[in-house]
Amino acid sequence: MVTLKPKFVSKYPIEGRSITPDVFAGKTIKEVSELEAWEGNRKLTLADLFEISDDTDSKDMIKIVGDASKVRNVGMNMTSGKILVDGEIGWHVGEMMRGGSIVVTGNTGSWAGSQMKGGTIEIKGDTGDYIGSAYRGSDKGMTGGTVIVHGNAGNEIGNNMKGGLIKVMGTVGIFAGVHMHGGTILIQGESARRAGGHMTGGKIILMGKTEDVLPSFSIEEIKKSVKVEGEKVVGPFYLFEGDMAADGKGKLYISQPNNPQLSSYEKYLE
């Protein structure tokens, strides 16, 4: 296991895309120390920014200890192995990840798991906006893998998502699952407005309170439960379908007992 400890908290973003088990594999600790890293527009090495130690010959596990909140792109394109962040990490953790696992004990910046295809990211604190999302101008969001957030998340999680699972145990901001085409988003806490806007497929499960349902969704039925990755999530849930504004067939499950303000929709089921 290779351990990295930030030598200082930079004022500037640090490009950390070389910090993956794939890149570290087959290298000596000296070669790892000499890997390129950028602090703002300054080209440095990992050894300039981190204290680096190697506990074993294995390079398939990396541990980052301390405040790495300015370090971006850790785990980019990762295919196997494990990264443990004992602290905070910056934007784009696990970007385009294809396998392996990343565990963060603290908070992360935005874009966690953006465009990921496989593997698992577990965030035990809060995260920012755009989990598993596509970049601006792209429709290629997350297609596989799992992101679990124990705290809260920001806006537009699962933007253009096509597969995989995002599970948030806390609250989320607006537009969860916007432009979603497939996959599953499970939100245990409250959701802000406009969940599922322009979704065409996939399913969103809102177990807490939601501020609204877009008028371009139609209520279909009340379901006792819904399955997520083969496991039953007990409701009851209002099942809405939409977004009709995008000719969509996405499924929006909303907890009935936690959203009594939606009871007026029940008359359309009679």
Side-chain angles (χ1 to χ4, degrees):
M1 179 176 71
V2 178
T3 301
L4 307 177
K5 294 182 181 179
K7 291 182 174 178
F8 55 91
V9 179
S10 175
K11 293 180 181 177
Y12 308 104
I14 292 172
E15 178 56 56
R17 65 181 62 192
S18 62
I19 304 174
T20 78
D22 300 86
V23 175
F24 283 16
K27 291 183 172 60
T28 65
I29 195 68
K30 182 176 182 296
E31 290 170 329
V32 168
S33 300
E34 293 171 347
L35 287 170
E36 178 181 298
W38 288 80
E39 182 195 31
N41 60 2
R42 288 201 308 156
K43 185 178 179 180
L44 302 172
T45 67
L46 287 183
D48 294 321
L49 299 165
F50 298 92
E51 296 176 9
I52 303 173
S53 59
D54 189 8
D55 300 334
T56 66
D57 291 334
S58 174
K59 302 292 189 302
D60 62 356
M61 181 170 176
I62 299 171
K63 185 175 183 180
I64 301 174
V65 181
D67 185 352
S69 57
K70 292 291 186 180
V71 184
R72 301 181 175 187
N73 292 112
V74 168
M76 182 177 179
N77 285 316
M78 177 174 168
T79 64
S80 63
K82 182 173 182 178
I83 297 176
L84 171 62
V85 180
D86 188 6
E88 304 202 355
I89 197 74
W91 287 16
H92 302 285
V93 63
E95 176 179 313
M96 293 188 280
M97 178 178 177
R98 286 173 282 167
S101 68
I102 298 175
V103 177
V104 181
T105 64
N107 304 323
T108 80
S110 296
W111 301 100
S114 54
Q115 299 182 309
M116 71 183 288
K117 299 176 182 177
T120 302
I121 300 174
E122 183 174 9
I123 301 164
K124 298 192 176 179
D126 298 329
T127 188
D129 304 323
Y130 313 118
I131 307 171
S133 293
Y135 289 125
R136 297 300 188 206
S138 169
D139 64 353
K140 297 178 181 177
M142 176 178 177
T143 57
T146 301
V147 180
I148 300 170
V149 181
H150 291 258
N152 304 317
N155 300 325
E156 295 192 32
I157 67 169
N159 181 329
N160 272 295
M161 180 176 179
K162 295 183 177 179
L165 170 66
I166 296 175
K167 180 178 180 181
V168 180
M169 298 180 188
T171 65
V172 302
I174 63 171
F175 278 123
V178 63
H179 298 297
M180 182 176 177
H181 306 293
T184 302
I185 297 176
L186 172 64
I187 301 165
Q188 293 185 346
E190 295 185 7
S191 173
R193 296 172 296 147
R194 303 175 184 175
H198 264 231
M199 73 185 295
T200 60
K203 58 185 174 186
I204 302 172
I205 301 107
L206 306 180
M207 298 179 67
K209 186 176 180 180
T210 183
E211 294 182 15
D212 64 9
V213 178
L214 286 169
S216 46
F217 280 74
S218 64
I219 190 165
E220 300 297 320
E221 60 181 307
I222 297 174
K223 301 281 287 185
K224 291 182 180 178
S225 63
V226 57
K227 281 194 172 181
V228 175
E229 301 282 288
E231 295 188 10
K232 183 187 290 187
V233 179
V234 176
F237 296 98
Y238 293 117
L239 171 57
F240 291 84
E241 188 171 286
D243 185 341
M244 291 184 287
D247 198 21
K249 300 290 185 183
K251 308 290 186 186
L252 183 58
Y253 296 85
I254 301 177
S255 168
Q256 183 186 37
N258 289 329
N259 292 278
Q261 78 278 12
L262 301 180
S263 61
S264 60
Y265 282 91
E266 295 178 17
K267 62 187 175 190
Y268 299 112
L269 297 173
E270 296 174 352

